[in-house]
Amino acid sequence: MLALYLREIRLGIRAGSGAMTGILFFLAVVAVIPFGVGPDLNLLARIGPAVLWIGALLASLLGLDRLFQADREDGSLDLLLMAGSRHMVALTVFTKCLAHWTTAVLPLALITPLLGIFMNVPPGGLAAATLTLLVGTPAITFIGAVGAALTVALPRGGLLVSVLILPLTIPVLIFGVAASRGAVAEPDPFLPPFLLLSALTLFFAVIGPLAAALALRGAAD
Amino acid sequence: MRLAAENLSGERGGETVFSGVSFALGQSETLLVTGPNGAGKSTLLRIIAGLLPVAKGHVAFSGGGEIFPDAGAACHYLGHLNGMKPALSIEENLVFWRDFLGEERLSPLEALEIVGLGEIAHLPFGYLSTGQRRRTAIARLLVSYRPVWLLDEPTAGLDRASEAQFAEVMRAHLSAGGIIVAATHLPLGLEGTQELKMGAGN
Amino acid sequence: MNEKTVRRWTDIANPTRFLELAGAVLPWLWGATVLVLAAGLTMAFTAPEDYQQGITVRIMYVHVPFAWLSMLCYTVMAGSALGTLVWRHPLADVSLKAAAPIGAVFTALALATGSIWGKPMWGTWWVWDARLTSVFVLFLMYLGIIALTRALDDPGRSARAAAILTLVGFINIPIIKFSVDWWNTLHQPASVFRLDGPTIHPSMLWPLLVCAVGFTLLFLALHLMAMRTEIWRRRVIAMRRLSARAAEIKPLEAAR
């Protein structure tokens, strides 16, 4: 499994453009918001955490469709599935998700504080947004794996993956934004939504790979 | 060790492509699967590998002990695709498959030496020609051990010299007690093989 | 153009000739860069403090050169893009690809120093006014060009795409330059390059100009080095492809 993780990380870094495109997309999404709502700094500060979350959510969906498709195109997927009795397929999926998260999504969470400055989010809000993104985005990747596995055989599944996954990510978004808002806005609590967010991530970390493994086995042809 | 199929049928896209296929292979035995395009050669191999569901009949693998409990676990599958990443070097690709598949045999460099790619092991896989890619995929069969080799058109893209090399590799596998099931149009240069003719009449 | 100058151009176009030339020029260029930058920074720290801004005015001596260079670098890239598309100069693409990351860093530094300067002056790290926004867009353009030049392994194919993108993005440069005049912005208007002469006091102007020259030399040195690296990188790729092909022939010979 470690071998698989290292290979995926290497691929993620060496193919290069993938992670970079995600970051660029995130930057661009956040940058167009002030044009849409006007440069009022107080307004931006108020919607800042939500914008950061939506931007990160959309950006983290970008490379997901390639998660299994690349392996299918070069035949690796067959071999990964055949090794099922040695390495449980769900575990293989979990490892691939983890590697994808490390190379493509973790950088998004790490540049969030910088983007928060553009949105005039106060320091407490920056820390909260980054923390909630670190905890919450793995859930998106794990849900995404299911969508990616379902559309693995489709030639242009990219958009379909996003359409399938977006409704499922709504709870993650709700609790993520609620927690990061709770850290700055006084009456709203921070801890309850944050704990729920963590629970969601753990839940999808189990359900996602299992469902994706099932879908991959069924998609073989 | 024994690989057997009994009255096997295969489906593709809801349509039966073959039915009533039976064979039994013991140690050091080879089955050549021949027949025209569309006869279901690839489907048969994928069913044995466990990548496609069995429509009727069954496939059994016995004598593998705890390490190789079923046919899927006991097989190396060499399909039309090579299963290598163009962005990684040849050696990195092989090291990954050895670590992931387990049951280490030859070191990646030794295996590459056998298929004649030892000198360029550091190059990215993407730089290779079709034949070199195929040879890298053959080297994968050597880095980790599986008693059964399922080969789908294994010599596609290989030149004469590499074909001879590959025949040598297969002979070594057979004399060590291995089993080979190969779907092919071309003679593989092996002696004493069983043949399974697949076609519309089957 | 007489025959001799034509030959000289093709001479420089030859990457080997360029590598020799760059190797000869670079030590001198680095020497000049260090000297001028040292002088410029010393002058910047001995220059009088601003009666309103106090010590924070010293940020200007790095901020303004960074901002100029972020635009100069893009202009160099746009020139290179023309070279790729119109004259198909073999080094033009190398120049564009090498300049993009340097430009991105200078732009990021201009944004960062501006942000640090803005905090005590305007009371905020960032505002979405025309100047800041257009520079931020420039930064995004740089990143986009970098992503595009790195996306394809084959330099020939990525060259045209990157050149076209660079030229399209060039519209942004005049927008940045005149944004402070066209819109009423928080950022102060130009005080050095004006039609009616600089409005900045000579005691500040001279250190600023020396700093600007120093950083420009730095840019040239970095650019030359990056171009050299890029040429070497392409040669390594070509040699590796060659060795892959050479290995193909050997087993055949052995079989005969």
Side-chain angles (χ1 to χ4, degrees), chain B residues 76-123:
Chain B
H76 256 319
Y77 175 67
L78 182 63
H80 296 289
L81 302 166
N82 296 319
M84 301 283 165
K85 295 289 177 191
L88 301 182
S89 79
I90 304 175
E91 198 183 352
E92 281 171 329
N93 268 306
L94 283 179
V95 167
F96 162 70
W97 282 121
R98 181 198 59 190
D99 293 348
F100 186 79
L101 296 172
E103 300 304 313
E104 298 175 19
R105 273 296 146 96
L106 298 180
S107 81
L109 276 179
E110 285 167 348
L112 285 171
E113 210 56 66
I114 288 176
V115 297
L117 295 175
E119 280 174 32
I120 52 170
H122 61 284
L123 290 184

Coordinates of all heavy atoms in Angstrom, one line a residue, chain B residues 76-123:
Chain B
H76 N -0.8 -13.9 -13.4 CA -0.2 -12.7 -14.0 C -1.0 -12.5 -15.3 O -1.2 -13.4 -16.1 CB 1.2 -12.9 -14.4 CG 2.2 -12.3 -13.5 ND1 2.0 -11.1 -12.9 CD2 3.4 -12.8 -13.0 CE1 3.1 -10.8 -12.2 NE2 3.9 -11.8 -12.2
Y77 N -1.6 -11.3 -15.4 CA -2.3 -11.0 -16.6 C -1.6 -10.0 -17.5 O -1.3 -8.9 -17.0 CB -3.7 -10.4 -16.2 CG -4.6 -10.0 -17.4 CD1 -5.1 -10.9 -18.3 CD2 -4.9 -8.7 -17.5 CE1 -5.9 -10.5 -19.3 CE2 -5.7 -8.2 -18.6 CZ -6.2 -9.2 -19.5 OH -7.0 -8.7 -20.5
L78 N -1.3 -10.4 -18.7 CA -0.6 -9.5 -19.6 C -1.6 -9.2 -20.8 O -1.8 -10.0 -21.7 CB 0.7 -10.1 -20.2 CG 1.5 -9.3 -21.1 CD1 2.0 -8.0 -20.4 CD2 2.7 -10.1 -21.7
G79 N -2.4 -8.1 -20.7 CA -3.4 -7.8 -21.6 C -2.9 -7.0 -22.8 O -1.7 -6.9 -23.0
H80 N -3.8 -6.3 -23.5 CA -3.3 -5.5 -24.6 C -2.6 -4.3 -24.1 O -1.7 -3.7 -24.7 CB -4.5 -5.0 -25.4 CG -5.3 -6.1 -26.1 ND1 -4.7 -6.8 -27.1 CD2 -6.4 -6.7 -25.8 CE1 -5.5 -7.8 -27.5 NE2 -6.6 -7.7 -26.7
L81 N -2.9 -3.8 -22.9 CA -2.3 -2.7 -22.3 C -1.2 -3.1 -21.4 O -1.3 -4.2 -20.8 CB -3.4 -1.8 -21.5 CG -4.6 -1.4 -22.4 CD1 -5.7 -0.9 -21.5 CD2 -4.1 -0.3 -23.3
N82 N -0.2 -2.2 -21.2 CA 1.0 -2.6 -20.5 C 0.9 -2.3 -19.0 O 1.7 -2.9 -18.2 CB 2.2 -2.0 -21.1 CG 2.4 -2.4 -22.5 OD1 2.3 -3.6 -22.8 ND2 2.7 -1.5 -23.4
G83 N 0.0 -1.4 -18.6 CA -0.1 -1.2 -17.2 C 1.1 -0.4 -16.6 O 1.5 -0.6 -15.4
M84 N 1.7 0.5 -17.4 CA 2.9 1.2 -16.9 C 2.6 2.7 -17.1 O 1.8 3.1 -18.0 CB 4.1 0.9 -17.8 CG 4.5 -0.6 -17.7 SD 5.3 -1.0 -16.2 CE 5.2 -2.8 -16.3
K85 N 3.2 3.5 -16.2 CA 2.9 5.0 -16.3 C 4.0 5.7 -17.1 O 5.2 5.5 -16.8 CB 2.9 5.6 -14.9 CG 1.8 5.0 -14.0 CD 0.5 5.6 -14.5 CE -0.7 5.0 -13.7 NZ -2.0 5.4 -14.3
P86 N 3.7 6.4 -18.1 CA 4.7 7.1 -18.9 C 5.6 8.1 -18.2 O 6.7 8.3 -18.5 CB 3.9 7.8 -20.0 CG 2.5 7.4 -19.9 CD 2.3 6.7 -18.6
A87 N 5.0 8.6 -17.1 CA 5.8 9.7 -16.4 C 6.9 9.1 -15.5 O 7.8 9.8 -15.1 CB 4.9 10.6 -15.6
L88 N 6.7 7.8 -15.1 CA 7.7 7.2 -14.2 C 8.8 6.5 -15.1 O 8.5 6.1 -16.2 CB 7.0 6.2 -13.3 CG 6.0 6.7 -12.4 CD1 5.4 5.6 -11.5 CD2 6.5 7.8 -11.5
S89 N 10.0 6.3 -14.5 CA 11.0 5.6 -15.2 C 10.6 4.1 -15.3 O 9.8 3.6 -14.5 CB 12.3 5.8 -14.6 OG 12.4 4.9 -13.4
I90 N 11.3 3.4 -16.2 CA 11.0 2.0 -16.3 C 11.2 1.3 -15.0 O 10.4 0.4 -14.6 CB 12.0 1.4 -17.4 CG1 11.9 2.1 -18.7 CG2 11.7 -0.1 -17.6 CD1 12.9 1.7 -19.7
E91 N 12.3 1.6 -14.3 CA 12.6 0.9 -13.1 C 11.6 1.2 -12.0 O 11.1 0.3 -11.3 CB 14.0 1.3 -12.6 CG 14.6 0.3 -11.6 CD 15.9 0.8 -11.1 OE1 16.5 1.8 -11.7 OE2 16.4 0.2 -10.2
E92 N 11.2 2.5 -11.9 CA 10.2 2.9 -10.9 C 8.9 2.1 -11.1 O 8.3 1.7 -10.2 CB 9.9 4.4 -11.0 CG 10.9 5.2 -10.3 CD 10.7 6.7 -10.6 OE1 10.2 7.1 -11.7 OE2 11.1 7.5 -9.7
N93 N 8.5 2.0 -12.4 CA 7.3 1.2 -12.7 C 7.4 -0.2 -12.2 O 6.5 -0.7 -11.6 CB 7.1 1.2 -14.2 CG 6.2 2.3 -14.7 OD1 5.1 2.5 -14.2 ND2 6.7 3.1 -15.7
L94 N 8.5 -0.8 -12.5 CA 8.7 -2.2 -12.1 C 8.8 -2.4 -10.6 O 8.2 -3.3 -10.0 CB 9.9 -2.8 -12.8 CG 9.7 -3.2 -14.2 CD1 11.0 -3.8 -14.8 CD2 8.6 -4.2 -14.4
V95 N 9.5 -1.5 -10.0 CA 9.6 -1.5 -8.5 C 8.3 -1.4 -7.9 O 7.9 -2.2 -6.9 CB 10.5 -0.4 -8.0 CG1 10.4 -0.2 -6.5 CG2 12.0 -0.6 -8.4
F96 N 7.4 -0.5 -8.4 CA 6.1 -0.4 -7.9 C 5.3 -1.7 -8.0 O 4.8 -2.2 -7.0 CB 5.3 0.7 -8.6 CG 3.8 0.5 -8.3 CD1 3.3 0.7 -7.1 CD2 3.0 0.1 -9.3 CE1 1.9 0.5 -6.8 CE2 1.6 -0.1 -9.1 CZ 1.1 0.1 -7.9
W97 N 5.3 -2.3 -9.2 CA 4.6 -3.6 -9.4 C 5.1 -4.7 -8.5 O 4.3 -5.5 -8.0 CB 4.5 -4.0 -10.8 CG 3.5 -3.2 -11.6 CD1 3.8 -2.4 -12.7 CD2 2.1 -3.0 -11.4 NE1 2.7 -1.7 -13.1 CE2 1.6 -2.1 -12.3 CE3 1.2 -3.5 -10.4 CZ2 0.3 -1.7 -12.4 CZ3 -0.1 -3.1 -10.5 CH2 -0.5 -2.3 -11.5
R98 N 6.4 -4.7 -8.3 CA 7.0 -5.8 -7.5 C 6.5 -5.6 -6.1 O 6.0 -6.5 -5.4 CB 8.5 -5.7 -7.5 CG 9.1 -6.8 -6.7 CD 10.6 -6.5 -6.3 NE 10.7 -5.2 -5.6 CZ 11.8 -4.6 -5.4 NH1 12.9 -5.1 -5.8 NH2 11.8 -3.5 -4.7
D99 N 6.5 -4.4 -5.6 CA 6.1 -4.1 -4.2 C 4.6 -4.3 -4.0 O 4.2 -4.8 -3.0 CB 6.5 -2.7 -3.8 CG 8.0 -2.5 -3.7 OD1 8.7 -3.5 -3.7 OD2 8.4 -1.3 -3.6
F100 N 3.9 -4.0 -5.0 CA 2.4 -4.1 -4.9 C 2.0 -5.5 -5.0 O 1.1 -6.0 -4.3 CB 1.7 -3.2 -5.9 CG 0.2 -3.1 -5.7 CD1 -0.3 -2.3 -4.8 CD2 -0.6 -3.9 -6.5 CE1 -1.7 -2.2 -4.6 CE2 -2.0 -3.8 -6.3 CZ -2.5 -3.0 -5.4
L101 N 2.5 -6.2 -6.0 CA 2.1 -7.6 -6.3 C 2.7 -8.6 -5.3 O 2.1 -9.7 -5.1 CB 2.4 -8.0 -7.7 CG 1.7 -7.2 -8.8 CD1 2.3 -7.5 -10.2 CD2 0.2 -7.4 -8.8
G102 N 3.8 -8.3 -4.7 CA 4.4 -9.2 -3.7 C 5.1 -10.4 -4.4 O 5.2 -10.5 -5.6
E103 N 5.4 -11.4 -3.5 CA 6.1 -12.6 -4.0 C 7.3 -12.3 -4.9 O 7.4 -12.7 -6.1 CB 5.1 -13.5 -4.8 CG 3.9 -14.0 -4.0 CD 4.3 -14.7 -2.8 OE1 5.2 -15.6 -2.9 OE2 3.8 -14.4 -1.7
E104 N 8.2 -11.5 -4.4 CA 9.3 -11.1 -5.2 C 10.2 -12.2 -5.8 O 10.4 -13.2 -5.1 CB 10.2 -10.1 -4.4 CG 9.5 -8.9 -3.9 CD 10.3 -8.1 -2.9 OE1 11.6 -8.3 -3.0 OE2 9.8 -7.3 -2.2
R105 N 10.5 -12.0 -7.0 CA 11.5 -13.0 -7.6 C 12.7 -12.2 -8.0 O 13.6 -12.0 -7.2 CB 10.8 -13.7 -8.9 CG 10.0 -14.9 -8.5 CD 11.0 -16.0 -7.9 NE 10.3 -16.8 -6.9 CZ 9.7 -17.9 -7.1 NH1 9.7 -18.4 -8.3 NH2 9.1 -18.5 -6.1
L106 N 12.8 -11.9 -9.3 CA 14.0 -11.2 -9.8 C 13.9 -9.7 -9.3 O 12.9 -9.2 -9.1 CB 14.1 -11.3 -11.3 CG 14.2 -12.7 -11.9 CD1 14.3 -12.6 -13.4 CD2 15.4 -13.4 -11.3
S107 N 15.1 -9.1 -9.2 CA 15.1 -7.7 -9.0 C 14.7 -7.0 -10.3 O 14.9 -7.6 -11.4 CB 16.5 -7.2 -8.6 OG 17.3 -7.0 -9.7
P108 N 14.1 -5.8 -10.3 CA 13.7 -5.1 -11.5 C 14.9 -5.0 -12.6 O 14.7 -5.3 -13.7 CB 13.3 -3.7 -11.1 CG 12.8 -4.0 -9.7 CD 13.7 -5.0 -9.1
L109 N 16.1 -4.8 -12.1 CA 17.2 -4.6 -13.0 C 17.5 -6.0 -13.7 O 17.8 -6.0 -14.9 CB 18.4 -4.1 -12.3 CG 18.4 -2.5 -12.2 CD1 19.7 -2.1 -11.5 CD2 18.4 -1.9 -13.6
E110 N 17.5 -7.0 -12.9 CA 17.7 -8.4 -13.5 C 16.7 -8.7 -14.5 O 17.0 -9.2 -15.6 CB 17.7 -9.4 -12.4 CG 18.9 -9.5 -11.5 CD 18.7 -10.3 -10.3 OE1 17.6 -10.7 -10.0 OE2 19.7 -10.6 -9.6
A111 N 15.4 -8.4 -14.2 CA 14.4 -8.7 -15.2 C 14.5 -7.9 -16.4 O 14.3 -8.4 -17.5 CB 13.0 -8.4 -14.5
L112 N 14.9 -6.6 -16.3 CA 15.1 -5.8 -17.4 C 16.3 -6.2 -18.3 O 16.3 -6.1 -19.5 CB 15.3 -4.3 -17.0 CG 14.0 -3.6 -16.6 CD1 14.4 -2.3 -15.9 CD2 13.1 -3.4 -17.7
E113 N 17.3 -6.7 -17.6 CA 18.5 -7.3 -18.3 C 18.0 -8.4 -19.2 O 18.4 -8.5 -20.3 CB 19.5 -7.8 -17.2 CG 20.9 -7.8 -17.6 CD 21.4 -6.3 -18.0 OE1 21.4 -5.4 -17.2 OE2 21.7 -6.2 -19.2
I114 N 17.1 -9.3 -18.7 CA 16.6 -10.4 -19.5 C 15.9 -10.0 -20.7 O 16.1 -10.6 -21.8 CB 15.7 -11.3 -18.6 CG1 16.6 -12.0 -17.6 CG2 15.0 -12.3 -19.4 CD1 15.9 -12.9 -16.6
V115 N 15.1 -8.9 -20.6 CA 14.3 -8.5 -21.8 C 15.1 -7.5 -22.6 O 14.6 -6.9 -23.6 CB 12.9 -7.9 -21.4 CG1 12.1 -9.0 -20.8 CG2 13.1 -6.7 -20.5
G116 N 16.4 -7.3 -22.2 CA 17.2 -6.4 -23.0 C 17.0 -4.9 -22.9 O 17.3 -4.1 -23.7
L117 N 16.5 -4.5 -21.7 CA 16.3 -3.1 -21.4 C 17.2 -2.6 -20.3 O 17.0 -1.5 -19.8 CB 14.9 -2.8 -21.2 CG 13.9 -3.0 -22.3 CD1 12.5 -2.8 -21.9 CD2 14.2 -2.1 -23.5
G118 N 18.1 -3.4 -19.8 CA 18.9 -3.1 -18.6 C 19.6 -1.7 -18.7 O 19.7 -1.0 -17.7
E119 N 20.0 -1.4 -19.9 CA 20.8 -0.1 -20.0 C 20.0 1.1 -19.9 O 20.5 2.2 -19.6 CB 21.6 -0.1 -21.3 CG 22.8 -1.0 -21.3 CD 23.5 -1.0 -22.6 OE1 23.4 -0.1 -23.4 OE2 24.1 -2.1 -22.9
I120 N 18.7 1.0 -20.2 CA 17.9 2.3 -20.2 C 16.8 2.2 -19.1 O 15.8 2.9 -19.2 CB 17.2 2.5 -21.6 CG1 16.5 1.2 -22.0 CG2 18.3 2.8 -22.6 CD1 15.6 1.4 -23.3
A121 N 17.1 1.5 -18.0 CA 16.1 1.4 -17.0 C 15.8 2.7 -16.3 O 14.7 2.9 -15.8 CB 16.7 0.5 -15.9
H122 N 16.7 3.7 -16.5 CA 16.4 5.0 -15.8 C 15.5 5.9 -16.7 O 15.1 7.0 -16.2 CB 17.8 5.7 -15.6 CG 18.5 6.0 -16.8 ND1 19.2 5.0 -17.5 CD2 18.7 7.1 -17.6 CE1 19.7 5.5 -18.6 NE2 19.4 6.8 -18.7
L123 N 15.3 5.5 -17.9 CA 14.5 6.4 -18.8 C 13.0 6.4 -18.4 O 12.5 5.3 -18.0 CB 14.7 6.0 -20.2 CG 16.0 6.3 -20.8 CD1 16.0 5.9 -22.3 CD2 16.4 7.7 -20.7

